[in-house]
Amino acid sequence: RKEVEQDPGPFNVPEGATVAFNCTYSNSASQSFFWYRQDCRKEPKLLMSVYSSGNEDGRFTAQLNRASQYISLLIRDSKLSDSATYLCVVNIGGYQKVTFGTGTKLQVIP
Amino acid sequence: EAQVTQNPRYLITVTGKKLTVTCSQNMNHEYMSWYRQDPGLGLRQIYYSMNVEVTDKGDVPEGYKVSRKEKRNFPLILESPSPNQTSLYFCASTRTGDTYGYTFGSGTRLTVV
């Protein structure tokens, strides 16, 4: 089993739709979690950290489920500019062992 | 402006010709790391450094070397590049501590022919 798994997509959604991505991780010792956004051939950029209590930033909501070992990202009212690949990142801490998922591609359609 | 600077952005080289990709950060971050990104494989860690003179292997270190003589710089060295090292490379840095995400450089697209 991969350490971090994501559905590669693509997810093709119309503007204004709500879309959710999940990411599962295998190491129960994982301590911190992030979502990154990557536009084609560019560097990944931090979208948001994921906290145990869940967190929201505008149209974006991130959740963590430690019992089932997954994190999720919900995007409401999708915009064309949300089209990108979303990377799930898991850190088991200590020695800064960070693992990236392969990403989920989102295409928002007019 | 807080940033991670990589150079060069694009590089085409021949098999066996030593090269260095530079990485510099201006945020006084302790932790720096190199990744390569290949289609279908995502980002894979090559080497990382917890601080000056402290480096360790990531998941795919074969064929690469690094050094960390100064806090701000973390060059990636390919002593004898081969075609299977053709990839998109990213340098990243962060403060040590679990709740901080990475800042990435703009990437280096390397082609080895």
Side-chain angles (χ1 to χ4, degrees):
Chain A
R1 183 183 174 187
K2 286 185 182 177
E3 289 186 56
V4 177
E5 290 199 71
Q6 294 183 252
D7 182 340
F11 284 57
N12 297 314
V13 302
E15 272 186 289
T18 295
V19 61
F21 310 133
N22 279 345
C23 165
T24 58
Y25 60 93
S26 61
N27 191 331
S28 59
S30 299
Q31 294 184 14
S32 53
F33 309 87
F34 307 91
W35 283 104
Y36 279 73
R37 170 197 169 121
Q38 186 176 24
D39 294 293
C40 187
R41 296 174 180 244
K42 295 198 171 179
E43 73 272 24
K45 292 187 177 177
L46 180 65
L47 181 64
M48 57 200 304
S49 302
V50 186
Y51 303 124
S52 296
S53 55
N55 48 304
E56 190 173 308
D57 183 3
R59 298 181 293 108
F60 298 84
T61 300
Q63 298 275 357
L64 167 63
N65 185 317
R66 285 192 183 273
S68 301
Q69 295 184 199
Y70 74 86
I71 65 172
S72 63
L73 178 67
L74 181 78
I75 305 174
R76 290 180 298 277
D77 188 21
S78 299
K79 312 290 186 193
L80 294 176
S81 57
D82 294 333
S83 297
T85 296
Y86 291 84
L87 306 175
C88 163
V89 182
V90 175
N91 184 344
I92 64 170
Y95 297 102
Q96 292 278 335
K97 180 68 174 80
V98 175
T99 302
F100 284 78
T102 52
T104 297
K105 187 171 183 179
L106 171 66
Q107 185 70 46
V108 181
I109 304 163
Chain B
E1 182 189 352
Q3 61 185 1
V4 176
T5 303
Q6 278 181 244
N7 279 297
R9 290 292 306 277
Y10 301 92
L11 179 60
I12 300 174
T13 191
V14 296
T15 299
K17 185 176 181 182
K18 181 179 178 180
L19 65 93
T20 300
V21 184
T22 62
C23 174
S24 181
Q25 50 93 5
N26 62 0
M27 296 165 282
N28 203 36
H29 285 169
E30 296 87 5
Y31 183 85
M32 298 184 74
S33 184
W34 276 102
Y35 288 88
R36 61 177 289 175
Q37 188 173 33
D38 302 289
L41 296 177
L43 280 152
R44 294 179 292 167
Q45 191 177 49
I46 302 170
Y47 269 94
Y48 64 93
S49 170
M50 298 290 286
N51 214 322
V52 176
E53 301 293 1
V54 181
T55 63
D56 208 347
K57 296 177 181 179
D59 297 316
V60 288
E62 293 78 21
Y64 304 94
K65 285 176 58 177
V66 293
S67 68
R68 188 91 181 272
K69 292 183 170 50
E70 306 165 279
K71 198 172 187 178
R72 63 183 294 125
N73 295 324
F74 190 44
L76 179 69
I77 303 156
L78 284 72
E79 294 269 3
S80 183
S82 62
N84 65 11
Q85 293 179 297
T86 292
S87 187
L88 177 59
Y89 291 86
F90 289 106
C91 178
S93 73
T94 187
R95 286 187 283 173
T96 50
D98 293 335
T99 59
Y100 299 105
Y102 282 128
T103 301
F104 280 85
S106 300
T108 296
R109 187 164 291 279
L110 172 66
T111 301
V112 184
V113 297

